[in-house]
Amino acid sequence: MTEAVTRPTLEAVAARAGVSRATVSRVVNGGDGVRERLVERVRQAVDELGYVPNQAARSLVTRRHDAVAVVIAEPETRVFADPFFALQLRGISKELTAHDSQLVLLLTEGRDDHARVGRYLAGGHVDGALVFSLHLDDALPGLIRHAGVPTVFGGRPGWSDGTHRAVYVDSDNRGGARTAVRHLVGLGRTRIAHITGALDQTSAVDRLDGFRDVMADADPRLIVEGDFSPAGGERAMRELLDRCPDLDGVFAANDITAAGALRVLRERGRRVPDDVAVIGFDDMLPVAEQTDPPLTTIRQDIEEMGRLMARLLLRRLDRRNADGEGEQAPDAGDDTAGVVLPTTLVRRASA
Amino acid sequence: MTEAVTRPTLEAVAARAGVSRATVSRVVNGGDGVRERLVERVRQAVDELGYVPNQAARSLVTRRHDAVAVVIAEPETRVFADPFFALQLRGISKELTAHDSQLVLLLTEGRDDHARVGRYLAGGHVDGALVFSLHLDDALPGLIRHAGVPTVFGGRPGWSDGTHRAVYVDSDNRGGARTAVRHLVGLGRTRIAHITGALDQTSAVDRLDGFRDVMADADPRLIVEGDFSPAGGERAMRELLDRCPDLDGVFAANDITAAGALRVLRERGRRVPDDVAVIGFDDMLPVAEQTDPPLTTIRQDIEEMGRLMARLLLRRLDRRNADGEGEQAPDAGDDTAGVVLPTTLVRRASA
């Protein structure tokens, strides 16, 4: 076994390699402009002495990189197409910047890339992770647990076995859905349809549950699965009109789904809200104001969700670094909590 | 000076701290769920032995993290509001993913945060960086040079002293601008205005130069500075109409600027293209197809620019890691080159 040794210095490496301090510094920082022969000599000296560059050494001691990863379990095309993510990132960015912590957004083309994300998280490049838009069969939660970085989730994760503790921030999806459907009922609508979100996400499942809370005996043909996208909303609305031409209300799982549904209703000559009242979820601007007619919807504060996720994570990191106040043992169970933000009805013209 | 030592193992740390390998692993990987007392013991053993965690040790030897940073010198609000960046990132993401390299997007609130980005780049978390949308007075280029990571720029950097070598990918901004203005001239327009981009960016300066190449004796009141945004386009168009009510053609520095200009022309009752012909730059979809009337523009392949930036960087990293083919000395000067992609005229209805 190795005995305790003084940590070797940059000077020691320079002396052994027979080069200047600057050259060693350039080589170990991955910099350009050093001849390969010298690079080799420096690397050999580094290996022989077991030298750890300053930054890595410092991180090893303080365990702080002042950087937080954000992982969105969606392809980058969707991250940039759906304004939901930009809003959530806005909240995160403001909060991290206020604490001089770097936002490190790990983009992927799809779930095939999640293993690589897991490797990056495990590689000691960030202090923690903010993860959102999980799908039930995503490997990400397991990869993140394995990486061992403190994590806060956006949206309640859908662990099926109930054994995984998680800190998460969510909106009151079920309560908001109930408010939406009750609003349609209050307008005298009786044939109320629901276009769901992607049902492998807990937010979509919760909103469907809220719909069912109010419409316990709804005709099952009035529920069609969407995917939180405008195209999904169009497709679902066509199917609903074919199945149930007499429907008089639609609760769409989010605003961009509602925007797609409104286009199809107009195409088919239905007046909104006279023939069919439509309500969305999100209060995503400018979308909800620019639909024709402007969209009545359930507001959730997406930017605040992002801000709160970042705040909870930073607080957890601070607690861990505070003197005498260490990380709790795994069974302490004090941070299993989800924070659930309220939702409110925003009335415009569509319902 | 320290003598050569065997690099201490995880086992050695575990033995010295009197804990299991798993506990050491969890502590050095920044993981949760270890009692503070044990964390302290492990940290002490790590310090005493000068232990380097595997990942860091491996990176130190191979100097590969299989991760590339992307830095956009704009606030995150702009990154998500301007589709230009999403397109460039799309090209980058496809290319990096094809090479199993993680895209690490470093977002900021503004240039006050660039020092922190520089620290992250210097911290040994990525193999290289792709940097775009630089402004003349940005500190980023200096910070990046200091960080010493191989870098490819999107858009020709505007070094004033000409001494800094840089690899960059750009479009033929000047040639494209000439094509745009010649097209307006070919339509018989004689009072042709130019709404510039942000003139602290080389792309805007090059497009202005292209405008001047064709309109050498243009009335200076026909040139108004914009900022590549729709609001900037609206403001500039109002100013132009106030100054020169007889103008009959507008070359806008990009499509979203042109979209703003079109809104103001409609407001003021000018018919496009009958009264005023308008041409943009980018061929940004769906923007250019959805303006009223659809926009004639100069096409640049933004996604391909991103792909090419990533490809050039990965090639450079491969070259550096290839056996017997090391990084060149700083004065070798073989990679000063910029790659300039061609632009083409796309005719729609506005000119």
Side-chain angles (χ1 to χ4, degrees):
Chain A
M1 197 168 93
T2 310
E3 286 308 302
V5 292
T6 314
R7 182 170 283 149
T9 60
L10 191 100
E11 283 76 10
V13 175
R16 176 169 286 255
V19 300
S20 70
R21 281 180 89 262
T23 299
V24 174
S25 176
R26 225 177 286 145
V27 171
V28 297
N29 286 310
D32 291 351
V34 180
R35 286 197 179 68
E36 189 60 12
R37 197 167 40 85
L38 297 188
V39 170
E40 271 315 310
R41 259 204 263 158
V42 171
R43 284 197 204 163
Q44 205 179 329
V46 162
D47 276 351
E48 288 169 354
L49 297 179
Y51 171 74
V52 189
N54 266 342
Q55 178 75 25
R58 199 161 46 235
S59 297
L60 203 59
V61 175
T62 65
R63 301 166 72 207
R64 284 302 279 259
H65 302 282
D66 292 320
V68 166
V70 174
V71 182
I72 304 175
E74 304 283 355
E76 63 84 19
T77 45
R78 178 131 196 185
V79 171
F80 281 89
D82 187 338
F84 182 92
F85 301 114
L87 262 180
Q88 204 151 18
L89 282 167
R90 184 149 313 157
I92 292 171
S93 176
K94 282 181 182 163
E95 189 69 19
L96 291 183
T97 298
H99 291 81
D100 205 20
S101 188
Q102 180 58 47
L103 198 173
V104 173
L105 179 58
L106 302 178
L107 290 173
T108 66
E109 294 281 298
R111 54 180 71 180
D112 287 352
D113 305 323
H114 288 174
R116 192 181 61 236
V117 167
R119 286 199 298 277
Y120 196 77
L121 291 177
H125 303 301
V126 293
D127 300 319
L130 299 172
V131 179
F132 48 89
S133 209
L134 282 179
H135 302 256
L136 286 178
D137 52 349
D138 274 336
L140 259 183
L143 293 164
I144 288 164
R145 259 197 312 281
H146 183 77
V149 287
T151 300
V152 173
F153 294 91
R156 178 171 54 83
W159 320 132
S160 52
D161 60 0
T163 58
H164 309 308
R165 300 182 314 127
V167 183
Y168 67 88
V169 175
D170 206 351
S171 284
D172 181 10
N173 290 305
R174 189 164 181 165
R178 279 197 297 254
T179 304
V181 181
R182 279 190 196 123
H183 177 69
L184 295 175
V185 169
L187 295 173
R189 308 301 159 128
T190 55
R191 296 284 289 164
I192 299 173
H194 178 36
I195 302 175
T196 76
L199 288 174
D200 61 349
Q201 302 199 280
T202 57
S203 57
V205 172
D206 290 352
R207 290 173 203 176
L208 173 58
D209 285 344
F211 173 83
R212 284 190 169 133
D213 288 343
V214 182
M215 307 297 288
D217 48 1
D219 181 342
R221 291 174 310 156
L222 283 167
I223 299 172
V224 173
E225 186 167 351
D227 58 4
F228 286 131
S229 80
E234 291 182 6
R235 197 179 3 84
M237 194 66 242
R238 283 199 186 94
E239 195 169 333
L240 280 170
L241 286 172
D242 292 344
R243 284 185 189 177
C244 312
D246 61 340
L247 62 84
D248 58 9
V250 176
F251 166 44
N254 69 352
D255 288 352
I256 57 179
T257 294
L262 286 172
R263 274 194 293 275
V264 170
L265 287 166
R266 197 166 47 247
E267 241 175 59
R268 299 275 183 105
R270 307 296 175 104
R271 291 166 306 160
V272 175
D274 306 52
D275 300 329
V276 182
V278 176
I279 188 165
F281 200 109
D282 275 346
D283 195 33
M284 179 74 69
L285 300 182
V287 178
E289 286 177 341
Q290 292 178 354
T291 53
D292 180 18
L295 191 66
T296 293
T297 189
I298 299 296
R299 176 162 218 273
Q300 58 171 339
D301 194 338
I302 303 166
E303 184 174 329
E304 177 61 20
M305 285 173 71
R307 208 180 285 122
L308 197 50
M309 285 171 70
R311 205 174 298 152
L312 287 176
L313 180 64
L314 291 171
R315 203 178 293 162
R316 213 169 149 199
L317 296 174
D318 283 345
R319 214 167 50 216
R320 189 157 94 162
N321 281 268
D323 284 344
E325 246 196 290
E327 185 72 14
Q328 299 293 320
D331 49 5
D334 67 336
D335 55 5
T336 318
V339 178
V340 177
L341 297 175
T343 55
T344 50
L345 177 69
V346 177
R347 280 207 73 173
R348 293 196 183 87
S350 70
Chain B
M1 197 168 93
T2 310
E3 285 306 304
V5 292
T6 314
R7 181 171 283 148
T9 60
L10 191 101
E11 282 76 10
V13 175
R16 175 169 289 252
V19 301
S20 71
R21 280 181 91 262
T23 299
V24 175
S25 176
R26 227 177 285 145
V27 171
V28 298
N29 287 312
D32 290 350
V34 180
R35 284 194 182 72
E36 189 58 14
R37 196 167 42 84
L38 297 188
V39 170
E40 271 316 309
R41 258 204 264 159
V42 171
R43 283 197 204 162
Q44 204 180 329
V46 162
D47 275 351
E48 288 168 354
L49 297 179
Y51 171 73
V52 189
N54 267 341
Q55 178 76 23
R58 201 161 44 236
S59 297
L60 203 61
V61 176
T62 66
R63 301 164 76 207
R64 285 302 280 258
H65 302 281
D66 292 321
V68 167
V70 174
V71 182
I72 304 176
E74 305 283 355
E76 63 84 17
T77 45
R78 179 130 196 185
V79 170
F80 281 89
D82 188 338
F84 182 92
F85 301 114
L87 262 180
Q88 205 152 16
L89 281 167
R90 184 149 314 158
I92 291 171
S93 176
K94 281 182 184 164
E95 189 70 20
L96 291 182
T97 298
H99 290 82
D100 205 20
S101 188
Q102 180 58 47
L103 196 172
V104 173
L105 179 58
L106 303 178
L107 291 173
T108 67
E109 293 282 297
R111 53 181 71 182
D112 287 352
D113 305 323
H114 288 174
R116 192 181 60 236
V117 166
R119 286 199 298 276
Y120 197 78
L121 292 176
H125 303 300
V126 293
D127 301 318
L130 300 171
V131 178
F132 46 91
S133 209
L134 282 179
H135 302 256
L136 286 177
D137 52 351
D138 274 336
L140 259 183
L143 293 164
I144 288 164
R145 257 196 315 280
H146 183 76
V149 287
T151 300
V152 173
F153 293 91
R156 178 172 53 83
W159 321 131
S160 53
D161 59 0
T163 57
H164 309 309
R165 301 180 314 127
V167 183
Y168 67 87
V169 175
D170 206 351
S171 283
D172 181 11
N173 290 305
R174 188 164 182 164
R178 279 196 296 254
T179 303
V181 182
R182 280 190 195 122
H183 177 69
L184 295 175
V185 170
L187 296 173
R189 308 300 159 129
T190 55
R191 295 283 289 164
I192 299 173
H194 179 36
I195 302 175
T196 75
L199 288 174
D200 62 348
Q201 302 199 278
T202 57
S203 56
V205 171
D206 291 353
R207 290 172 204 178
L208 173 58
D209 285 344
F211 174 82
R212 285 190 169 131
D213 288 343
V214 182
M215 308 297 289
D217 49 0
D219 181 342
R221 293 174 309 155
L222 283 167
I223 299 172
V224 173
E225 187 167 351
D227 58 4
F228 285 132
S229 81
E234 291 182 6
R235 196 177 6 82
M237 193 67 240
R238 283 198 187 94
E239 195 170 334
L240 280 168
L241 287 172
D242 291 344
R243 285 184 189 177
C244 313
D246 61 337
L247 62 83
D248 58 8
V250 175
F251 165 45
N254 68 354
D255 289 352
I256 58 180
T257 294
L262 286 172
R263 274 193 293 274
V264 170
L265 286 166
R266 197 166 45 246
E267 242 174 58
R268 300 275 184 106
R270 307 295 175 105
R271 291 167 306 160
V272 175
D274 307 51
D275 300 329
V276 182
V278 176
I279 188 165
F281 200 109
D282 275 346
D283 194 33
M284 178 74 69
L285 299 182
V287 179
E289 285 177 343
Q290 292 177 353
T291 53
D292 178 19
L295 192 65
T296 293
T297 189
I298 300 296
R299 172 160 222 273
Q300 58 172 339
D301 193 338
I302 303 166
E303 183 174 329
E304 177 61 20
M305 285 174 71
R307 208 178 286 124
L308 196 52
M309 285 172 70
R311 204 174 299 152
L312 288 176
L313 180 63
L314 291 170
R315 205 179 292 162
R316 215 170 146 199
L317 297 174
D318 284 344
R319 215 168 49 215
R320 190 157 95 162
N321 281 268
D323 284 345
E325 245 195 291
E327 186 72 12
Q328 299 294 319
D331 49 5
D334 67 336
D335 55 4
T336 318
V339 178
V340 178
L341 299 174
T343 56
T344 50
L345 177 70
V346 177
R347 281 207 72 171
R348 294 195 183 88
S350 69

